Amino acid sequence: MWYKIRICNKYGVTNAYIFNFSRQFLHFLSPSTKAERSRTNFPAKPSNMESCPSVKNILLLDSEGKRVAVKYYCDDWPTNNAKEAFEKSVFSKTQKTNARTEAEIAMFENNIVVYKFVQDLHFFVTGGEDENELILATVLQGFFDAVGLLLRGNVDKKEALENLDLILLCLDEIIDGGIVLETDANVIAGKVASHSLDSGAPLSEQTISQALATAREHLARSLLK
């Protein structure tokens, strides 16, 4: 699959790059000097996961920079105030960029931030300064496309808030503890659609919450057909 990515360096110079790569390649790709780099900002990971792609947070903000759905996977922002300050800063520094036709990448507070906008929603993925930009861009695109599938193409704040549980499930399917699990939008959306609480039980034997979860599962599956 071909991707065109614009990368802005610390001097403000923006360059466009075009890449052709497979999901499998990106999933296992890591910088050649990763073994020599320190990851003190990340939680300790098992030795067999040192080369796994990882992210620090995924943010979904509205057109005013307010939260729609966010997930943090490291301790760089230990308090909620610190998280909100980061979100406000990222939003203010990127809101005037043209990230609607393609993803853009920028360095921010010693982090790589990949972002893309649609309607009144702003999607962000943050990684460490040594993380591979292509992997972060693929995580962003996977999240972006999976949300589009589950919201039936109506990707805006109103639909996102009405289907917030599906969006949060998307995040859980993509990232676990900062480790990238899946980037294929069809796989992510399929797993979210199949997720329910005891969906196999008759409706008469389910609690209200379980019945609602079952109904949502059937609805999500119908949207994917």
Side-chain angles (χ1 to χ4, degrees):
M1 182 176 295
W2 290 96
Y3 285 83
K4 182 178 180 183
I5 300 173
R6 298 175 63 195
I7 301 177
C8 180
N9 63 23
K10 63 182 178 181
Y11 302 107
V13 179
T14 300
N15 295 300
Y17 301 87
I18 298 178
F19 302 92
N20 184 16
F21 43 74
S22 65
R23 180 176 63 85
Q24 291 81 2
F25 172 75
L26 283 172
H27 189 70
F28 294 104
L29 182 67
S30 60
S32 59
T33 60
K34 182 171 287 187
E36 303 172 0
R37 293 171 176 168
S38 170
R39 286 187 170 276
T40 55
N41 288 335
F42 287 88
K45 293 183 288 187
S47 59
N48 64 341
M49 289 188 176
E50 286 298 327
S51 62
C52 291
S54 59
V55 303
K56 290 187 174 184
N57 63 48
I58 297 183
L59 313 175
L60 180 57
L61 309 179
D62 66 14
S63 58
E64 297 179 350
K66 297 179 180 178
R67 288 183 177 183
V68 176
V70 303
K71 282 287 185 77
Y72 285 80
Y73 307 101
C74 71
D75 296 326
D76 286 14
W77 304 275
T79 66
N80 190 59
N81 286 338
K83 292 181 176 69
E84 291 181 343
F86 175 78
E87 293 159 20
K88 182 178 180 180
S89 296
V90 168
F91 175 80
S92 64
K93 290 181 180 297
T94 61
Q95 64 175 325
K96 294 182 180 180
T97 60
N98 183 25
R100 295 187 179 275
T101 58
E102 59 190 36
E104 295 200 14
I105 303 176
M107 292 295 297
F108 182 74
E109 294 183 357
N110 296 320
N111 296 300
I112 297 173
V113 179
V114 187
Y115 55 97
K116 188 172 184 179
F117 309 151
V118 61
Q119 301 288 4
D120 54 356
L121 291 177
H122 294 204
F123 294 72
F124 300 87
V125 172
T126 305
E129 60 182 342
D130 293 331
E131 194 55 75
N132 190 289
E133 295 92 344
L134 300 183
I135 295 175
L136 297 177
T138 305
V139 172
L140 174 71
Q141 194 64 46
F143 179 42
F144 184 91
D145 290 343
V147 170
L149 286 172
L150 291 168
L151 298 186
R152 215 177 198 177
N154 299 319
V155 185
D156 57 31
K157 180 180 178 180
K158 180 177 180 295
E159 288 293 325
L161 291 175
E162 291 178 354
N163 296 275
L164 187 58
D165 53 343
L166 296 181
I167 292 176
L168 294 176
L169 286 174
C170 270
L171 294 177
D172 291 340
E173 295 296 340
I174 298 169
I175 304 293
D176 183 15
I179 302 301
V180 179
L181 299 179
E182 184 59 67
T183 60
D184 187 302
N186 291 314
V187 173
I188 296 165
K191 289 182 178 180
V192 170
S194 64
H195 182 82
S196 66
L197 297 173
D198 192 21
S199 59
L203 289 175
S204 59
E205 298 179 8
Q206 297 182 18
T207 64
I208 293 177
S209 61
Q210 288 175 325
L212 289 174
T214 300
R216 180 168 292 280
E217 176 195 4
H218 294 322
L219 174 60
R221 282 181 175 175
S222 68
L223 295 179
L224 295 177
K225 292 181 178 180

